[in-house]
Amino acid sequence: MIKKKIFFIVLCINGLFASMGDELVKKALDSGLKPIPTGRELEKLTGLDGISKMQIELGKKLYFDPRISSSNLISCNTCHNLGLGGTDNIPAAIGNKWTMNPMLINSPTVYNSVFNSSQFWDGRSAHLKDQAKGPIQSSAEMNANPKIVIEKIISIPEYVIEFKKAYGNNVKIDFDLIADTIATFEKTLVTPSRYDDFLRGNTKALSKDEQEGLNIFIDKGCVACHNDINLGGTMQLLGVVKEYKFANVGGFKGNADGMVKTPTLRNILETMPYFHNGQYWDIKDAIKEMANIQLGDEISDEDSKKIAIFFESLTGKKPDILYPMLPTQTTNTPKPSF
Ligand code: HEC
Ligand code: HEC
C-alpha cells in the first residue's frame, strides 16, 4: 500500500516535471531561442545544398594548410583549433612573427559561425566568404599576399587536380574561390546538442538543473541579445547600463556606433577566456559581468552557477574531422618568408 502511494507520488512529480518542461520549451521558443534545423532545412540555411563533398574536402585541406600563410606555419586551425572548441584558448590572438592582435582581440569560435548574421567582433563582414579573405592577408594573422597564395596553390599539382574535380576543368583558381572554398568547409562546422532536442520538445534532454538555469537565463533577459539559433550573432551595444570592466584593455570600442557582435553561446564552456579581449577565464564571472553591465542586475553566485550549468547543454556534437593529408609542394612553390 505504502509502496503504491510512493509510486503514485513519484508519478505525479514526474508528470509535474514533464509539464513544467513543456512550458519551458514554449517559453524558450517564445523568447526567440531556436534549435539548429536538420536535414534539407539545415543545408538550405547554411548554403550547403548543391555543394559537393569534393568542395568541402578541399576547403578542409585549405583550412588546415599552414602554407596559406607567408611563414608556412600558421593555418586557420592555429587560432580556430577544431579540437579546442574552434578557438585558441588564449586571451588575444597571436599570429605572424608571434604578433599579438594589435587590439588584443580574442579569436572567436568558428563552430556555428555560419549562423551569425555578422562576422568579426565589430561585424564588418556579413559572410564567411568575405571573412576568410581578412585573416589570410592580415599582418597580425597569416600575413599573406593573395598573389603568392594563388601561386602556392597553382604550384601544387594535386591542389590543381582537386580544384578541377571540385569546380570543373575550366576552373579559375583565384583568391575569391580559395576564400569561398574555405568558407564552404566552415559551413559544415555546426554542433547540435541536447539543447536542440529539448527545444524540439524532448523535455528529458535537459536535466532539472539545466532547465532551471535556462529559466533564469530567460527571466533575467539574457535572451534579449543571446537569441535565435546561435544564442547570439547580431550586433548589440556593449555596456548598456555600465561600462565593461576591462573596456580599456586593447582599446577595442566596437563598430562606429559602439556595437559589438554578440558571441554565440554554443560550446561556450570550451571557448574560454571570455569577452572580446579575453579577460575572464571563469564562465561564472563572465555571466555576472554581463548581468551587471548589460542588464544592471547584480546576479547572485547561485544564479550565475545555475546559468553555467545550463550552458553545459550547449556543448554540441562536433562533426567527425579526419586530419587531412596535405598535397606535397614542388620546387616551384614560393618559399616561406618571415
Ligand atoms: C592569428 C590567429 C588567426 C588566424 C590564423 C585566423 N583567424 Fe580567424 N579570427 C581571429 C581573430 C582574432 C578574429 C576576430 C577578429 C576581429 O573581430 O577583428 C577572427 C575571426 C574569425 C571569424 C569570425 C567569427 C565570428 O564569430 O565573428 C571567422 C569565421 C574566422 N576568423 C575564420 C578564419 C579562417 C577561415 C581562417 C583561415 C583562412 C582564420 N580565421 C585565420 C584569429 C585568427
Ligand atoms: C544587450 C545585449 C546583451 C545582453 C542583455 C546580454 N548579453 Fe552577453 N554579450 C553581449 C555582447 C555584445 C557580448 C560581447 C561582449 C564583448 O566581449 O565585447 C556578450 C558576451 C557574453 C559572454 C562572453 C562570450 C564570449 O565568447 O566571450 C557571455 C558568457 C555572455 N555574454 C552571457 C550573457 C548572459 C548570461 C546574459 C544574461 C545575464 C547576457 N549575456 C546578457 C550582449 C548581451
Side-chain angles (χ1 to χ4, degrees):
M1 186 63 190
I2 288 177
K3 253 194 189 162
K4 259 193 189 160
K5 254 192 193 153
I6 291 176
F7 183 64
F8 180 71
I9 291 168
V10 168
L11 260 186
C12 284
I13 292 173
N14 265 343
L16 193 68
F17 181 46
S19 79
M20 268 164 53
D22 288 335
E23 261 171 46
L24 183 58
V25 170
K26 186 171 180 306
K27 184 169 167 181
L29 296 173
D30 286 348
S31 63
L33 298 171
K34 285 188 196 151
I36 295 181
T38 54
R40 286 281 301 150
E41 207 189 322
L42 177 63
E43 277 185 6
K44 269 205 199 133
L45 186 66
T46 54
L48 281 177
D49 54 342
I51 297 291
S52 70
K53 247 194 124 98
M54 269 309 297
Q55 289 167 355
I56 294 171
E57 278 301 304
L58 179 56
K60 180 167 94 174
K61 287 189 180 167
L62 296 168
Y63 185 93
F64 278 100
D65 198 332
R67 292 169 300 183
I68 303 256
S69 67
S70 62
S71 64
N72 281 12
L73 282 173
I74 301 167
S75 72
C76 306
N77 196 60
T78 305
C79 303
H80 305 286
N81 191 318
L82 297 182
L84 293 175
T87 62
D88 47 19
N89 292 146
I90 57 176
I94 292 182
N96 185 55
K97 289 192 184 167
W98 212 249
T99 313
M100 204 172 266
N101 181 289
M103 286 215 267
L104 307 185
I105 294 275
N106 174 259
S107 310
T109 180
V110 282
Y111 281 116
N112 305 298
S113 57
V114 63
F115 301 125
N116 292 337
S117 51
S118 304
Q119 306 292 341
F120 289 121
W121 288 99
D122 63 1
R124 65 187 178 279
S125 270
H127 304 292
L128 289 176
K129 174 184 163 186
D130 262 15
Q131 194 288 327
K133 291 190 205 165
I136 301 179
Q137 298 177 80
S138 156
S139 58
E141 295 178 10
M142 301 166 95
N143 192 38
N145 174 339
K147 225 180 104 230
I148 296 179
V149 175
I150 298 163
E151 275 176 35
K152 278 186 180 170
I153 305 265
I154 292 179
S155 72
I156 300 176
E158 213 181 301
Y159 262 141
V160 175
I161 293 173
E162 290 190 25
F163 266 97
K164 285 185 176 163
K165 276 195 190 150
Y167 297 103
N169 278 336
N170 294 328
V171 62
K172 182 166 176 286
I173 303 175
D174 58 16
F175 198 48
D176 263 358
L177 188 64
I178 293 168
D180 205 13
T181 307
I182 298 177
T184 296
F185 169 64
E186 287 181 286
K187 290 173 187 170
T188 65
L189 300 175
V190 306
T191 70
S193 73
R194 292 182 288 118
Y195 162 80
D196 299 286
D197 296 339
F198 180 79
L199 291 185
R200 275 195 214 89
N202 175 5
T203 53
K204 292 208 180 92
L206 295 202
S207 71
K208 189 173 157 292
D209 288 348
E210 286 167 344
Q211 293 191 26
E212 218 184 308
L214 169 58
N215 197 38
I216 297 169
F217 182 76
I218 298 170
D219 284 347
K220 289 280 176 197
C222 310
V223 282
C225 305
H226 295 279
N227 52 34
D228 217 307
I229 294 179
N230 243 0
L231 303 96
T234 57
M235 301 302 290
Q236 300 291 343
L237 273 180
L238 176 66
V240 176
V241 182
K242 268 188 213 158
E243 191 179 41
Y244 164 44
K245 187 168 168 199
F246 298 107
N248 288 330
V249 177
F252 172 75
K253 294 278 180 276
N255 70 8
D257 305 320
M259 311 275 268
V260 177
K261 203 274 309 290
T262 312
T264 178
L265 297 180
R266 289 186 180 271
N267 305 303
I268 191 73
L269 297 185
E270 297 176 340
T271 62
M272 66 286 282
Y274 304 110
F275 281 72
H276 63 262
N277 46 13
Q279 293 298 300
Y280 285 102
W281 287 90
D282 186 331
I283 189 68
K284 296 189 290 307
D285 297 336
I287 293 169
K288 285 174 107 174
E289 176 73 359
M290 263 287 129
N292 193 11
I293 65 174
Q294 299 294 66
L295 299 161
D297 193 336
E298 295 282 342
I299 196 171
S300 67
D301 285 344
E302 175 127 3
D303 278 355
S304 155
K305 202 166 146 197
K306 282 180 181 160
I307 292 177
I309 290 175
F310 156 59
F311 286 170
E312 286 173 18
S313 72
L314 299 174
T315 303
K317 182 174 175 343
K318 312 296 182 298
D320 289 329
I321 293 164
L322 192 64
Y323 193 94
M325 290 302 124
L326 304 174
T328 312
Q329 63 196 65
T330 61
T331 47
N332 290 333
T333 306
K335 305 290 175 289
S337 66
F338 302 96

